[in-house]
Amino acid sequence: MAEARLWFASALLPNGWADGVRLGLSDGRIASVDIGVASEAGDSRHALALPGLPNLHSHAFQRAMAGLTEVRGPAGDSFWTWRELMYRFVERLTPQDVEVVAAMAFMEMLESGFTCVGEFHYLHHDSDGRAFANPAEMSERIVAAAAETGIGLTLLPVFYAHAGFGGAQPSGGQRRFINTIDSYANLLETTRVSISTLPDGRIGIAPHSLRAVTEAELSALTAAAAEPIHIHIAEQIWEVEDCVAWSGARPVEWLLDRFPVDPRWCLVHATHMTPGETTRLAQSGAVAGLCPITEANLGDGVFPAEAFLTAGGAFGVGSDSNVRIDASEELRLLEYGQRLTRRARNVLASEGGRSTGADLYRGAVAGGAQALGRDATGLVPGAAADIVSLKADHPDLCGRRGDQQIDSWVFAGGSQMVDCVWRFGRQVVAQGRHQGRDVIVPRYRAVMERLLR
Ligand code: NGQ
Ligand code: ZN
């Protein structure tokens, strides 16, 4: 496999910023890190390097509905009316559509600075609810989109069986999602084979939510899992109230009381927690999967981030509904949600004198990697060569040093500042553009024109 030498004027290393950094890449990984060196002939020269940010939660197909659910209904709007529209949209998507839309979403993720994605994939069956001849047909479309765009994929095939707490019958709108424990096991095995064709692909287990699985199903799915386990939880108040009415316990409390929640787990949203639940979740070592743009768009609420981080909780960010795909904006909104509700500034920096953007970035790189089943991260020998460079000549980087550069990306310049992106050693973005953009966008446009006709 190709070897390459990249030289950066400065780079964020695990121990801090360094100037004059040469990364030797081999077989998709960082083989060597030289610090304080001048560039040489044969080096590819760049300004500023950061480790790529993992995107721990996405439903790629929802990219195609962006901007189409922003009209107020006759009786007001909520998460649940949005979900009705989403279910109606889902009915029309063919496997080919899903591949085309996913490639579009994955391309935009890479262009914004995300290098890996956890695709929480639940659209398994044909529009009439029947399984495809190949049960992993849809999963393979996601794998194909990852292969084309080069994004690092952790595919999270979703187990979905019920419409509400206590094993309620699924609704018609959910027919494309449904599996039994046996058909899910079969799906996982077929998907594993397909994932093994990707460079550095991973798989995880994803019970959709406590609404969609029973306690017995959750035990069967998770008991022996070595892989990451992702679940939506406590996103909406109505869901919390329904859980209490059914079980006497709140969702996060219910899960922590019954399951050995540990660092394998990623609890997506976990928006509505009491202080006690917040501390217990932080102490469990599980990752909180926060999706600030989607949580704002869907009217979910604000995650108790200050208490969770103070208690040592691990977190990462996800683009979830993909209504906007923007790595730096997820971090910005995570902090702004806190500022708006706490009426304070720099709420999520770890201590006095620390940079908020940089602390959030480091935290989300570590927590995101944990949630996606990826171990060595950062610009260190042995880690996957997942690298983002920023444009040296961007006005928002003028005169900035060290962590100020990340703060300026997160709070000022945003995604316009991304220059190049490498994923597993392959350069997929140059000057902010994905190498496949000229193919991926026209194909996406054609699918959208047909879908929205
Ligand atoms: C989903 N999305 O599975 O796409 C969910 C909505 C549900 C978010 N929660 C459906 N953001 O939770 O029932
Ligand atoms: Zn989700």
Side-chain angles (χ1 to χ4, degrees):
M1 202 178 185
E3 315 260 321
R5 285 189 343 211
L6 311 178
W7 182 90
F8 296 93
S10 68
L12 179 63
L13 304 181
N15 294 326
W17 288 91
D19 290 337
V21 175
R22 179 182 299 111
L23 304 179
L25 311 187
S26 176
D27 290 332
R29 296 187 177 274
I30 297 174
S32 60
V33 180
D34 301 319
I35 299 172
V37 296
S39 67
E40 291 170 1
D43 288 349
S44 164
R45 290 170 51 100
H46 304 276
L48 182 157
L50 301 168
L53 189 67
N55 177 359
L56 55 63
H57 189 73
S58 155
H59 310 287
F61 76 85
Q62 291 176 14
R63 180 68 186 142
M65 313 165 43
L68 297 178
T69 62
E70 310 299 332
V71 176
R72 187 182 171 99
D77 257 293
S78 70
F79 176 92
W80 308 102
T81 55
W82 168 84
R83 195 176 76 158
E84 281 309 311
L85 294 178
M86 190 267 280
Y87 284 179
R88 263 192 271 151
F89 192 77
V90 151
E91 304 201 334
R92 290 182 257 169
L93 298 174
T94 67
Q96 178 61 18
D97 296 342
V98 167
E99 180 175 338
V100 166
V101 175
M104 179 74 186
F106 294 167
M107 175 193 80
E108 294 179 301
M109 289 173 196
L110 287 160
E111 287 180 343
S112 91
F114 286 126
T115 44
C116 293
V117 64
E119 177 62 22
F120 196 101
H121 169 67
Y122 58 84
L123 188 48
H124 301 306
H125 307 313
D126 211 342
S127 14
D128 58 6
R130 267 191 280 212
F132 289 108
N134 169 8
E137 171 76 43
M138 286 295 212
S139 295
E140 289 177 8
R141 300 309 183 123
I142 301 293
V143 170
E148 181 182 19
T149 56
I151 203 163
L153 178 65
T154 297
L155 187 52
L156 303 161
V158 172
F159 178 82
Y160 202 117
H162 307 286
F165 293 98
Q169 274 293 108
S171 73
Q174 295 164 340
R175 65 186 177 273
R176 301 190 73 175
F177 319 156
I178 303 303
N179 275 296
T180 62
I181 289 288
D182 286 347
S183 66
Y184 182 76
N186 183 26
L187 170 67
L188 264 190
E189 283 325 301
T190 324
T191 304
R192 254 182 235 285
V193 175
S194 154
I195 278 284
S196 69
T197 65
L198 286 175
D200 203 34
R202 298 274 197 285
I203 201 166
I205 311 281
H208 180 275
S209 54
L210 297 181
R211 291 174 272 123
V213 304
T214 62
E215 183 171 354
E217 286 161 346
L218 194 52
S219 297
L221 293 168
T222 60
E227 303 87 352
I229 303 165
H230 287 227
I231 187 166
H232 289 122
I233 197 158
E235 183 179 8
Q236 284 279 322
I237 291 286
W238 181 81
E239 174 187 1
V240 174
E241 289 168 351
D242 223 34
C243 186
V244 171
W246 162 67
S247 70
R250 303 164 57 84
V252 172
E253 177 187 22
W254 187 94
L255 185 70
L256 293 173
D257 282 348
R258 282 166 186 77
F259 286 83
V261 174
D262 61 21
R264 288 173 305 162
W265 289 70
C266 176
L267 273 60
V268 180
H269 307 302
T271 312
H272 301 289
M273 295 192 289
T274 61
E277 287 176 296
T278 307
T279 308
R280 286 180 70 194
L281 179 59
Q283 288 169 350
S284 74
V287 177
L290 309 177
C291 309
I293 295 175
T294 297
E295 288 155 9
N297 184 270
L298 297 181
D300 290 338
V302 179
F303 177 79
E306 187 181 16
F308 185 74
L309 297 191
T310 302
F315 75 97
V317 291
S319 63
D320 192 351
S321 69
N322 295 313
V323 60
R324 257 184 76 71
I325 295 179
D326 191 324
S328 56
E329 188 172 321
E330 294 291 356
L331 298 176
R332 185 188 321 140
L333 196 54
L334 177 55
E335 167 71 16
Y336 281 175
Q338 303 296 310
R339 293 191 191 187
L340 288 164
T341 49
R342 312 295 309 264
R343 298 192 293 272
R345 300 192 71 253
N346 294 314
V347 178
L348 299 180
S350 55
E351 54 187 295
R354 301 284 307 180
S355 277
T356 304
D359 273 355
L360 286 176
Y361 198 84
R362 288 184 176 92
V365 166
Q370 178 185 326
L372 297 185
R374 301 181 176 279
D375 24 57
T377 60
L379 306 181
V380 288
D386 294 0
I387 307 161
V388 173
S389 75
L390 300 184
K391 293 175 182 162
D393 58 353
H394 193 285
D396 285 316
L397 280 184
C398 267
R400 270 57 167 188
R401 302 285 307 158
D403 284 350
Q404 292 173 339
Q405 301 171 111
I406 307 186
D407 285 339
S408 294
W409 180 25
V410 169
F411 293 104
S415 57
Q416 299 295 316
M417 283 166 77
V418 174
D419 188 13
C420 301
V421 179
W422 294 260
R423 157 57 200 163
F424 208 59
R426 169 179 165 196
Q427 184 174 355
V428 289
V429 174
Q431 293 179 321
R433 278 179 70 88
H434 189 275
Q435 54 170 32
R437 182 168 260 280
D438 291 343
V439 174
I440 291 169
V441 174
R443 205 177 51 195
Y444 174 75
R445 204 185 292 282
V447 163
M448 288 315 300
E449 275 161 12
R450 198 197 79 245
L451 284 173
L452 302 181
R453 208 175 18 229

